[in-house]
Amino acid sequence: NPSANVLLALDQNNAVVGMASVYVWETMPGKKAFIEDVAVLEENRGQGIGKELTLRLIKIAREKGARHIDLTSHPSRVIANRMYQHLGFEKRDTNVYRLKF
């Protein structure tokens, strides 16, 4: 998928310890970006890996011309939500809908 950008975080043994993705696509008003699946292995959390992955995703979205970048994060992910807010993401008051198949 040309709109997908996936990053992997590797440890010193080249084992994957984290991953994240950003999707950038064209819409009528301009390019949009959405961050998905920022994940770090539990034993590797607290080392700044999620933050570094997110910063790199932001850079990719900017370089591809996105007007803004969105993400969702479950309220139970307190540390992750705090990190996103620290990086400048603002919590939006919105309705999120899902249609299950």
Side-chain angles (χ1 to χ4, degrees):
N1 183 339
S3 65
N5 301 268
V6 179
L7 301 179
L8 299 176
L10 306 175
D11 67 10
Q12 61 275 13
N13 299 317
N14 286 328
V16 176
V17 296
M19 65 146 307
S21 57
V22 65
Y23 297 84
V24 181
W25 70 99
E26 191 73 43
T27 66
M28 291 287 284
K31 288 187 178 182
K32 292 184 178 181
F34 194 87
I35 289 178
E36 288 266 357
D37 305 319
V38 177
V40 177
L41 292 177
E42 191 170 345
E43 60 268 22
N44 296 98
R45 293 180 185 161
Q47 301 173 23
I49 297 168
K51 180 179 179 180
E52 184 62 32
L53 286 167
T54 304
L55 288 170
R56 290 180 187 220
L57 295 178
I58 293 168
K59 183 176 186 234
I60 290 168
R62 280 188 175 148
E63 288 172 352
K64 291 185 175 268
R67 298 176 60 221
H68 62 266
I69 190 166
D70 291 319
L71 61 83
T72 61
S73 184
H74 195 276
S76 66
R77 299 184 65 226
V78 175
I79 294 171
N81 282 282
R82 192 175 323 138
M83 177 194 70
Y84 296 133
Q85 291 173 17
H86 177 75
L87 292 176
F89 286 88
E90 297 175 1
K91 187 175 178 183
R92 296 173 61 201
D93 186 20
T94 183
N95 296 333
V96 177
Y97 296 90
R98 175 176 290 160
L99 176 63
K100 292 185 179 182
F101 298 110

XYZ file of all heavy atoms in Angstrom:
803
model
N 0.844 -1.180 0.000
C 0.000 0.000 0.000
C 0.888 1.240 0.000
O 1.626 1.463 0.958
C -0.904 -0.047 1.228
C -1.875 1.091 1.294
O -1.679 2.129 0.676
N -2.924 0.900 2.050
N 0.817 2.066 -1.014
C 1.702 3.232 -1.078
C 1.433 4.272 0.005
O 2.288 5.113 0.288
C 1.452 3.807 -2.466
C 0.166 3.221 -2.924
C -0.017 1.928 -2.200
N 0.261 4.238 0.636
C -0.013 5.208 1.697
C 0.520 4.749 3.048
O 0.560 5.525 3.996
C -1.515 5.492 1.795
O -2.218 4.342 2.204
N 0.963 3.500 3.158
C 1.427 2.939 4.432
C 2.927 3.131 4.610
O 3.706 2.941 3.680
C 1.103 1.456 4.497
N 3.299 3.506 5.814
C 4.700 3.640 6.195
C 4.859 2.923 7.529
O 4.278 3.342 8.532
C 5.074 5.115 6.361
C 4.840 5.906 5.103
O 5.717 6.049 4.290
N 3.621 6.404 4.918
N 5.623 1.848 7.559
C 5.775 1.032 8.755
C 7.213 1.117 9.237
O 8.148 0.960 8.453
C 5.393 -0.439 8.484
C 5.570 -1.284 9.730
C 3.956 -0.533 7.968
N 7.369 1.378 10.528
C 8.697 1.436 11.142
C 8.840 0.313 12.154
O 7.883 -0.032 12.849
C 8.892 2.771 11.865
C 8.759 4.038 11.034
C 8.965 5.262 11.928
C 9.763 4.045 9.897
N 10.043 -0.221 12.245
C 10.366 -1.228 13.249
C 11.485 -0.697 14.132
O 12.420 -0.074 13.637
C 10.826 -2.527 12.588
C 9.835 -3.233 11.669
C 10.496 -4.447 11.027
C 8.583 -3.627 12.418
N 11.390 -0.976 15.411
C 12.479 -0.659 16.343
C 13.183 -1.975 16.650
O 12.545 -2.959 17.030
C 11.920 -0.043 17.626
N 14.494 -1.988 16.471
C 15.289 -3.195 16.682
C 16.218 -3.009 17.872
O 16.724 -1.911 18.109
C 16.124 -3.499 15.436
C 15.370 -3.594 14.105
C 16.349 -3.784 12.959
C 14.351 -4.704 14.137
N 16.473 -4.094 18.588
C 17.456 -4.025 19.666
C 18.849 -4.314 19.106
O 19.027 -4.454 17.896
C 17.090 -4.958 20.829
C 17.175 -6.444 20.476
O 17.689 -6.807 19.391
O 16.733 -7.258 21.305
N 19.830 -4.399 19.969
C 21.216 -4.601 19.529
C 21.427 -5.933 18.817
O 22.400 -6.109 18.090
C 22.197 -4.456 20.707
C 21.992 -5.436 21.822
C 20.940 -5.005 22.845
O 20.171 -4.076 22.631
N 20.902 -5.693 23.960
N 20.495 -6.877 18.987
C 20.589 -8.173 18.312
C 19.701 -8.245 17.071
O 19.457 -9.323 16.543
C 20.205 -9.294 19.279
C 21.132 -9.351 20.467
O 22.355 -9.237 20.325
N 20.577 -9.485 21.652
N 19.207 -7.072 16.639
C 18.307 -6.970 15.494
C 16.974 -7.675 15.690
O 16.321 -8.056 14.715
C 18.975 -7.446 14.201
C 19.982 -6.443 13.696
O 19.820 -5.235 13.878
N 21.025 -6.930 13.070
N 16.565 -7.850 16.937
C 15.242 -8.386 17.231
C 14.262 -7.219 17.291
O 14.586 -6.147 17.800
C 15.247 -9.126 18.564
N 13.068 -7.418 16.767
C 12.052 -6.369 16.776
C 11.524 -6.193 18.196
O 11.082 -7.143 18.831
C 10.894 -6.711 15.819
C 9.789 -5.667 15.903
C 11.396 -6.852 14.387
N 11.599 -4.944 18.695
C 11.091 -4.632 20.040
C 9.941 -3.625 19.980
O 9.295 -3.360 20.996
C 12.212 -4.116 20.969
C 13.258 -5.204 21.201
C 12.851 -2.855 20.424
N 9.696 -3.071 18.798
C 8.599 -2.125 18.648
C 8.272 -1.909 17.187
O 9.075 -2.224 16.308
N 7.066 -1.397 16.953
C 6.648 -1.095 15.595
C 5.606 0.008 15.639
O 4.984 0.242 16.661
C 6.069 -2.313 14.885
C 4.794 -2.825 15.490
S 3.596 -3.526 14.340
C 3.379 -2.274 13.137
N 5.456 0.689 14.526
C 4.446 1.724 14.400
C 4.217 2.000 12.919
O 5.085 1.732 12.095
C 4.892 2.996 15.113
N 3.052 2.552 12.611
C 2.769 2.862 11.210
C 1.998 4.171 11.103
O 1.295 4.578 12.024
C 1.972 1.726 10.557
O 0.777 1.485 11.263
N 2.172 4.815 9.964
C 1.412 6.014 9.632
C 0.940 5.864 8.190
O 1.672 5.379 7.331
C 2.216 7.319 9.842
C 3.403 7.420 8.907
C 1.320 8.541 9.718
N -0.293 6.250 7.976
C -0.892 6.209 6.654
C -1.149 7.645 6.216
O -1.727 8.435 6.964
C -2.207 5.416 6.680
C -1.968 3.990 7.071
C -1.879 3.609 8.403
C -1.786 3.013 6.101
C -1.625 2.300 8.765
C -1.533 1.700 6.449
C -1.458 1.353 7.793
O -1.194 0.057 8.139
N -0.706 7.994 5.029
C -0.897 9.336 4.485
C -1.622 9.173 3.151
O -1.172 8.429 2.284
C 0.455 10.061 4.278
C 0.230 11.465 3.740
C 1.258 10.101 5.576
N -2.754 9.868 3.003
C -3.526 9.756 1.776
C -4.151 11.099 1.413
O -4.296 11.975 2.243
C -4.577 8.655 1.899
C -5.704 8.970 2.833
C -6.945 9.437 2.483
C -5.723 8.846 4.255
N -7.709 9.621 3.603
C -6.986 9.253 4.719
C -4.781 8.424 5.202
C -7.336 9.270 6.052
C -5.132 8.433 6.541
C -6.392 8.846 6.956
N -4.485 11.201 0.143
C -5.062 12.427 -0.418
C -6.566 12.419 -0.219
O -7.232 11.410 -0.441
C -4.732 12.498 -1.908
C -5.050 13.825 -2.545
C -4.079 14.917 -2.156
O -2.868 14.663 -2.133
O -4.547 16.033 -1.857
N -7.109 13.570 0.212
C -8.546 13.777 0.312
C -8.876 15.077 -0.410
O -7.971 15.819 -0.803
C -9.004 13.864 1.786
O -8.442 15.038 2.371
C -8.585 12.634 2.568
N -10.133 15.383 -0.545
C -10.536 16.623 -1.229
C -9.889 17.858 -0.607
O -9.342 18.680 -1.320
C -12.061 16.757 -1.234
C -12.740 15.725 -2.116
S -12.530 16.059 -3.863
C -13.672 17.396 -4.063
N -9.919 18.011 0.736
C -9.313 19.223 1.322
C -7.780 19.173 1.413
O -7.153 20.175 1.725
C -9.913 19.311 2.714
C -10.809 18.151 2.895
C -10.716 17.278 1.684
N -7.171 18.042 1.182
C -5.717 17.924 1.275
C -5.312 16.603 1.897
O -6.153 15.781 2.251
N -4.023 16.415 2.045
C -3.516 15.149 2.586
C -3.773 15.037 4.085
O -3.627 16.007 4.823
C -2.024 15.015 2.310
C -1.708 14.751 0.864
C -0.247 14.451 0.663
C 0.010 14.140 -0.799
N 1.412 13.803 -1.030
N -4.128 13.824 4.488
C -4.346 13.501 5.895
C -3.399 12.379 6.287
O -2.945 11.606 5.444
C -5.778 13.018 6.128
C -6.827 14.061 5.955
C -8.179 13.473 6.298
C -9.271 14.513 6.176
N -10.580 13.951 6.528
N -3.147 12.278 7.584
C -2.312 11.186 8.090
C -2.967 10.594 9.328
O -3.641 11.301 10.089
C -0.911 11.695 8.421
N -2.765 9.298 9.515
C -3.310 8.602 10.672
C -2.264 7.629 11.192
O -1.752 6.802 10.439
C -4.588 7.842 10.300
C -5.361 7.387 11.499
C -6.286 8.228 12.105
C -5.150 6.130 12.038
C -6.996 7.821 13.221
C -5.853 5.711 13.150
C -6.778 6.556 13.745
N -1.949 7.747 12.475
C -1.002 6.830 13.125
C -1.761 5.618 13.627
O -2.819 5.741 14.236
C -0.267 7.523 14.286
C 0.723 8.553 13.739
C 0.451 6.495 15.174
C 1.463 9.336 14.809
N -1.196 4.449 13.387
C -1.776 3.182 13.828
C -0.711 2.343 14.530
O 0.466 2.436 14.207
C -2.253 2.360 12.623
C -3.475 2.875 11.950
C -4.744 2.222 12.463
O -4.660 1.312 13.309
O -5.807 2.637 12.015
N -1.149 1.529 15.434
C -0.340 0.423 15.959
C 1.035 0.796 16.497
O 2.031 0.152 16.177
C -0.171 -0.663 14.890
C -1.500 -1.148 14.344
O -2.424 -1.306 15.150
O -1.608 -1.357 13.133
N 1.116 1.835 17.323
C 2.380 2.089 18.021
C 2.447 1.052 19.139
O 1.629 1.057 20.050
C 2.441 3.522 18.594
C 3.741 3.720 19.363
C 2.310 4.549 17.480
N 3.394 0.144 19.030
C 3.487 -0.952 19.989
C 4.946 -1.218 20.344
O 5.803 -1.249 19.466
C 2.856 -2.215 19.407
N 5.195 -1.405 21.626
C 6.535 -1.737 22.128
C 6.375 -2.929 23.058
O 5.451 -2.968 23.877
C 7.165 -0.535 22.874
C 8.516 -0.906 23.454
C 7.294 0.669 21.945
N 7.269 -3.897 22.914
C 7.221 -5.049 23.811
C 7.262 -4.587 25.264
O 7.988 -3.647 25.609
C 8.391 -5.995 23.547
C 8.387 -6.738 22.214
C 9.659 -7.571 22.073
C 7.161 -7.631 22.098
N 6.491 -5.254 26.096
C 6.368 -4.846 27.493
C 7.715 -4.698 28.192
O 7.959 -3.734 28.912
C 5.486 -5.840 28.256
C 5.107 -5.361 29.625
C 4.051 -6.221 30.276
O 3.389 -7.020 29.587
O 3.887 -6.078 31.503
N 8.618 -5.616 27.937
C 9.930 -5.561 28.602
C 10.828 -4.432 28.100
O 11.865 -4.141 28.692
C 10.657 -6.905 28.498
C 10.937 -7.361 27.087
C 9.857 -8.255 26.504
O 8.702 -8.235 26.972
O 10.172 -8.982 25.544
N 10.425 -3.782 27.009
C 11.215 -2.684 26.449
C 10.559 -1.315 26.631
O 11.072 -0.312 26.142
C 11.484 -2.930 24.967
C 12.328 -4.153 24.737
O 11.813 -5.212 24.432
N 13.618 -4.024 24.920
N 9.455 -1.282 27.331
C 8.766 -0.011 27.559
C 9.541 0.845 28.547
O 10.328 0.346 29.339
C 7.346 -0.271 28.050
C 6.508 -0.914 26.977
C 5.100 -1.177 27.413
N 4.413 -1.914 26.353
C 3.318 -2.609 26.530
N 2.746 -2.647 27.712
N 2.776 -3.249 25.518
N 9.320 2.152 28.469
C 9.979 3.083 29.369
C 11.365 3.501 28.902
O 12.083 4.184 29.625
N 11.739 3.107 27.689
C 13.064 3.442 27.149
C 12.994 4.520 26.067
O 14.001 4.823 25.436
C 13.719 2.184 26.569
C 13.904 1.070 27.572
C 14.405 -0.210 26.905
O 15.001 -0.193 25.838
N 14.145 -1.340 27.551
N 11.798 5.062 25.828
C 11.642 6.092 24.807
C 11.433 5.561 23.402
O 11.442 6.342 22.442
N 11.234 4.271 23.257
C 11.075 3.672 21.926
C 9.783 4.142 21.270
O 9.772 4.546 20.103
C 11.136 2.131 22.007
C 12.510 1.690 22.509
C 10.802 1.500 20.657
C 12.597 0.221 22.898
N 8.677 4.112 22.006
C 7.403 4.570 21.462
C 7.456 6.028 21.061
O 6.933 6.422 20.019
N 8.108 6.839 21.882
C 8.243 8.265 21.572
C 9.051 8.460 20.296
O 8.662 9.232 19.420
C 8.910 8.985 22.735
C 9.098 10.466 22.496
C 9.743 11.140 23.693
C 9.941 12.615 23.448
N 10.563 13.284 24.608
N 10.172 7.770 20.177
C 11.015 7.908 18.983
C 10.279 7.435 17.735
O 10.351 8.079 16.683
C 12.320 7.131 19.159
C 13.281 7.300 18.012
C 13.749 8.732 17.789
O 13.859 9.502 18.760
O 14.006 9.090 16.621
N 9.556 6.325 17.825
C 8.774 5.859 16.679
C 7.738 6.905 16.271
O 7.586 7.227 15.092
C 8.076 4.536 17.012
C 8.956 3.289 17.065
C 8.199 2.135 17.699
C 9.443 2.914 15.669
N 7.046 7.469 17.268
C 6.014 8.465 16.987
C 6.614 9.716 16.362
O 6.063 10.264 15.397
C 5.231 8.804 18.260
O 4.692 7.584 18.820
C 4.092 9.761 17.975
N 7.739 10.174 16.873
C 8.401 11.350 16.290
C 8.787 11.109 14.833
O 8.649 11.990 13.985
C 9.630 11.735 17.111
C 9.339 12.365 18.473
C 10.623 12.482 19.292
C 8.663 13.723 18.305
N 9.246 9.919 14.538
C 9.615 9.601 13.151
C 8.385 9.535 12.253
O 8.426 9.942 11.095
C 10.420 8.314 13.098
C 11.803 8.503 13.697
C 12.623 7.245 13.643
N 13.859 7.411 14.373
C 15.018 6.940 13.970
N 15.108 6.275 12.837
N 16.097 7.117 14.694
N 7.266 9.039 12.794
C 6.027 9.008 12.016
C 5.546 10.428 11.714
O 5.067 10.713 10.612
C 4.934 8.243 12.765
C 5.182 6.753 12.996
C 4.032 6.158 13.805
C 5.371 5.999 11.703
N 5.657 11.309 12.691
C 5.281 12.710 12.490
C 6.122 13.318 11.374
O 5.617 14.011 10.489
C 5.427 13.507 13.806
C 4.391 13.029 14.827
C 5.308 15.003 13.554
C 4.630 13.537 16.243
N 7.407 13.038 11.396
C 8.318 13.557 10.358
C 7.913 13.044 8.978
O 7.872 13.810 8.007
C 9.753 13.156 10.687
C 10.774 13.699 9.723
C 12.190 13.348 10.149
C 13.161 14.047 9.233
N 14.110 13.224 8.615
N 7.592 11.774 8.874
C 7.169 11.190 7.592
C 5.899 11.884 7.104
O 5.803 12.263 5.929
C 6.942 9.667 7.733
C 8.274 8.949 7.925
C 6.192 9.112 6.522
C 8.147 7.493 8.353
N 4.927 12.061 7.985
C 3.662 12.692 7.597
C 3.893 14.119 7.109
O 3.312 14.542 6.108
C 2.682 12.672 8.769
N 4.752 14.866 7.798
C 5.071 16.235 7.372
C 5.746 16.237 6.008
O 5.412 17.040 5.137
C 5.980 16.908 8.390
C 5.259 17.422 9.584
C 6.175 18.245 10.449
N 5.415 18.825 11.544
C 5.904 19.061 12.732
N 7.160 18.790 13.004
N 5.154 19.600 13.668
N 6.718 15.348 5.840
C 7.446 15.287 4.569
C 6.527 14.926 3.404
O 6.760 15.338 2.274
C 8.596 14.288 4.668
C 9.736 14.780 5.534
C 10.797 13.720 5.796
O 10.594 12.530 5.434
O 11.837 14.078 6.369
N 5.479 14.149 3.675
C 4.539 13.749 2.627
C 3.430 14.777 2.426
O 2.532 14.568 1.619
C 3.965 12.376 2.940
C 5.015 11.279 2.817
C 4.402 9.915 3.011
C 5.437 8.855 2.765
N 5.455 8.379 1.394
N 3.486 15.880 3.191
C 2.554 16.979 2.973
C 1.227 16.883 3.692
O 0.272 17.572 3.311
N 1.129 16.067 4.729
C -0.129 15.951 5.471
C -0.467 17.276 6.156
O 0.415 17.968 6.650
C -0.039 14.840 6.513
N -1.744 17.617 6.155
C -2.221 18.834 6.812
C -2.288 18.653 8.321
O -2.173 19.607 9.078
C -3.603 19.203 6.286
C -3.589 19.513 4.791
C -4.967 19.789 4.239
N -5.554 20.940 4.912
C -6.831 21.010 5.282
N -7.638 20.006 5.054
N -7.297 22.083 5.859
N -2.543 17.442 8.743
C -2.593 17.108 10.166
C -2.434 15.598 10.309
O -2.441 14.880 9.311
C -3.896 17.585 10.821
C -5.120 16.960 10.248
N -5.838 17.554 9.242
C -5.750 15.796 10.524
C -6.864 16.783 8.932
N -6.823 15.710 9.684
N -2.297 15.174 11.545
C -2.137 13.749 11.818
C -3.042 13.386 12.986
O -3.106 14.102 13.981
C -0.647 13.415 12.089
C -0.400 11.926 12.139
C -0.143 14.094 13.318
C 1.072 11.574 12.055
N -3.767 12.296 12.838
C -4.684 11.824 13.875
C -4.235 10.467 14.387
O -3.481 9.745 13.719
C -6.104 11.684 13.312
C -6.752 13.012 12.989
O -6.594 13.960 13.787
O -7.420 13.102 11.946
N -4.724 10.133 15.558
C -4.542 8.793 16.121
C -5.618 8.583 17.163
O -6.252 9.532 17.615
C -3.147 8.616 16.734
C -2.718 9.513 17.899
C -3.228 8.996 19.227
C -1.209 9.597 17.941
N -5.830 7.341 17.521
C -6.698 7.024 18.642
C -5.896 6.183 19.623
O -4.973 5.453 19.236
C -7.961 6.246 18.220
O -7.577 5.016 17.621
C -8.804 7.045 17.256
N -6.255 6.309 20.890
C -5.593 5.535 21.933
C -6.601 5.273 23.043
O -7.269 6.205 23.505
C -4.383 6.306 22.480
O -3.691 5.523 23.424
N -6.724 4.038 23.432
C -7.687 3.672 24.471
C -7.357 4.400 25.768
O -6.177 4.515 26.127
C -7.675 2.151 24.683
C -8.847 1.681 25.449
N -8.887 1.694 26.816
C -10.042 1.209 25.023
C -10.052 1.237 27.218
N -10.778 0.932 26.143
N -8.357 4.907 26.478
C -8.107 5.626 27.736
C -7.311 4.823 28.762
O -6.605 5.404 29.589
C -9.507 5.944 28.258
C -10.378 5.940 27.052
C -9.771 4.910 26.121
N -7.386 3.508 28.710
C -6.645 2.685 29.678
C -5.131 2.748 29.444
O -4.359 2.390 30.331
C -7.111 1.230 29.616
O -6.777 0.648 28.364
N -4.708 3.230 28.292
C -3.275 3.340 27.980
C -2.770 4.701 28.477
O -2.414 5.578 27.706
C -3.048 3.160 26.481
C -3.507 1.788 25.986
C -3.208 1.567 24.532
N -1.762 1.545 24.337
C -1.140 2.196 23.365
N -1.804 2.915 22.502
N 0.174 2.132 23.261
N -2.759 4.850 29.785
C -2.466 6.133 30.429
C -1.110 6.691 30.009
O -0.993 7.866 29.652
C -2.550 5.988 31.966
C -2.142 7.271 32.665
C -3.959 5.569 32.376
N -0.078 5.887 30.043
C 1.271 6.365 29.711
C 1.338 6.775 28.243
O 1.898 7.821 27.905
C 2.333 5.312 30.065
C 2.368 5.118 31.587
C 3.706 5.705 29.532
C 3.212 3.965 32.053
N 0.755 5.984 27.368
C 0.763 6.322 25.942
C 0.002 7.623 25.700
O 0.471 8.495 24.956
C 0.150 5.190 25.127
N -1.151 7.784 26.324
C -1.930 9.012 26.153
C -1.164 10.228 26.657
O -1.194 11.293 26.028
C -3.287 8.890 26.854
C -4.256 8.064 26.057
O -4.824 8.540 25.084
N -4.434 6.813 26.444
N -0.469 10.083 27.755
C 0.348 11.172 28.291
C 1.462 11.536 27.298
O 1.743 12.706 27.067
C 0.941 10.765 29.640
C 1.553 11.913 30.397
C 2.027 11.533 31.785
N 1.155 10.584 32.449
C 1.571 9.529 33.161
N 2.848 9.292 33.318
N 0.716 8.705 33.730
N 2.085 10.518 26.694
C 3.145 10.763 25.716
C 2.599 11.531 24.515
O 3.198 12.509 24.068
C 3.765 9.449 25.241
C 4.832 9.646 24.166
S 5.303 8.125 23.297
C 3.830 7.790 22.336
N 1.445 11.107 23.977
C 0.884 11.789 22.814
C 0.595 13.249 23.137
O 0.890 14.139 22.342
C -0.392 11.093 22.333
C -0.157 9.686 21.833
C -0.970 8.632 22.238
C 0.892 9.395 20.963
C -0.751 7.340 21.787
C 1.117 8.109 20.508
C 0.290 7.088 20.924
O 0.511 5.814 20.475
N 0.039 13.517 24.305
C -0.241 14.891 24.702
C 1.056 15.679 24.866
O 1.134 16.840 24.455
C -1.069 14.916 25.976
C -2.481 14.400 25.742
C -3.276 14.243 27.016
O -2.931 14.794 28.055
N -4.353 13.477 26.941
N 2.075 15.055 25.414
C 3.375 15.712 25.569
C 3.975 16.078 24.205
O 4.667 17.093 24.072
C 4.330 14.802 26.353
C 5.708 15.349 26.502
N 6.020 16.375 27.367
C 6.864 15.035 25.866
C 7.304 16.658 27.262
N 7.843 15.858 26.362
N 3.700 15.261 23.194
C 4.214 15.520 21.846
C 3.378 16.549 21.083
O 3.697 16.886 19.951
C 4.297 14.217 21.044
C 5.337 13.211 21.533
C 5.250 11.924 20.731
C 6.732 13.798 21.468
N 2.299 17.043 21.712
C 1.502 18.092 21.088
C 0.152 17.664 20.541
O -0.596 18.492 20.033
N -0.171 16.394 20.630
C -1.483 15.942 20.180
C -2.535 16.455 21.157
O -2.323 16.448 22.369
C -1.554 14.406 20.127
C -0.807 13.806 18.974
C 0.538 13.502 19.106
C -1.437 13.549 17.771
C 1.248 12.946 18.052
C -0.734 12.992 16.712
C 0.606 12.694 16.851
N -3.653 16.901 20.614
C -4.739 17.409 21.428
C -5.896 16.425 21.389
O -6.282 15.947 20.315
C -5.207 18.767 20.914
C -4.131 19.827 20.999
C -4.564 21.141 20.376
O -5.725 21.245 19.894
O -3.749 22.067 20.365
N -6.453 16.138 22.559
C -7.602 15.245 22.635
C -8.807 15.951 22.032
O -9.089 17.096 22.357
C -7.883 14.857 24.088
C -8.938 13.810 24.223
C -9.077 13.379 25.668
C -10.167 12.350 25.800
N -10.369 11.972 27.192
N -9.499 15.264 21.119
C -10.650 15.838 20.442
C -11.931 15.270 21.025
O -11.975 14.112 21.432
C -10.578 15.515 18.952
C -9.373 16.149 18.284
C -9.212 15.709 16.858
N -10.377 16.093 16.077
C -10.709 15.521 14.934
N -9.981 14.542 14.437
N -11.770 15.915 14.268
N -12.935 16.095 21.073
C -14.256 15.663 21.507
C -15.022 15.252 20.258
O -15.462 16.097 19.482
C -14.968 16.804 22.238
C -16.280 16.368 22.845
O -16.482 15.152 23.050
O -17.114 17.244 23.117
N -15.102 13.969 20.032
C -15.696 13.472 18.796
C -16.448 12.175 19.059
O -16.241 11.518 20.074
C -14.598 13.247 17.734
O -15.218 12.823 16.519
C -13.601 12.205 18.160
N -17.282 11.842 18.146
C -17.956 10.547 18.183
C -17.165 9.602 17.288
O -16.870 9.938 16.150
C -19.386 10.633 17.650
C -20.267 11.503 18.507
O -20.027 11.649 19.696
N -21.283 12.083 17.911
N -16.844 8.469 17.796
C -16.174 7.443 16.996
C -17.187 6.335 16.783
O -17.781 5.834 17.741
C -14.908 6.908 17.705
C -14.295 5.794 16.882
C -13.923 8.029 17.947
N -17.403 5.969 15.537
C -18.357 4.945 15.208
C -17.649 3.747 14.603
O -16.611 3.893 13.962
C -19.382 5.469 14.186
C -20.229 6.587 14.704
C -19.829 7.912 14.542
C -21.417 6.322 15.363
C -20.603 8.955 15.020
C -22.190 7.350 15.850
C -21.786 8.671 15.677
O -22.558 9.684 16.148
N -18.232 2.560 14.794
C -17.679 1.341 14.218
C -18.814 0.477 13.715
O -19.826 0.330 14.380
C -16.878 0.580 15.266
C -16.381 -0.779 14.752
C -15.519 -1.495 15.745
N -14.271 -0.752 15.820
C -13.421 -0.841 16.835
N -13.686 -1.617 17.854
N -12.309 -0.147 16.826
N -18.640 -0.090 12.552
C -19.561 -1.053 11.989
C -18.844 -2.384 11.945
O -17.834 -2.536 11.266
C -19.999 -0.635 10.582
C -20.894 -1.615 9.821
C -22.213 -1.799 10.540
C -21.102 -1.109 8.396
N -19.319 -3.357 12.710
C -18.683 -4.677 12.735
C -19.287 -5.563 11.661
O -20.478 -5.501 11.380
C -18.866 -5.331 14.103
C -18.109 -4.649 15.206
C -18.256 -5.425 16.498
C -17.473 -4.758 17.606
N -17.570 -5.527 18.861
N -18.444 -6.386 11.071
C -18.888 -7.344 10.051
C -18.857 -8.749 10.600
O -18.060 -9.109 11.374
C -17.993 -7.270 8.799
C -18.048 -5.927 8.147
C -16.954 -5.080 8.182
C -19.193 -5.510 7.506
C -16.991 -3.850 7.571
C -19.238 -4.272 6.892
C -18.136 -3.437 6.933
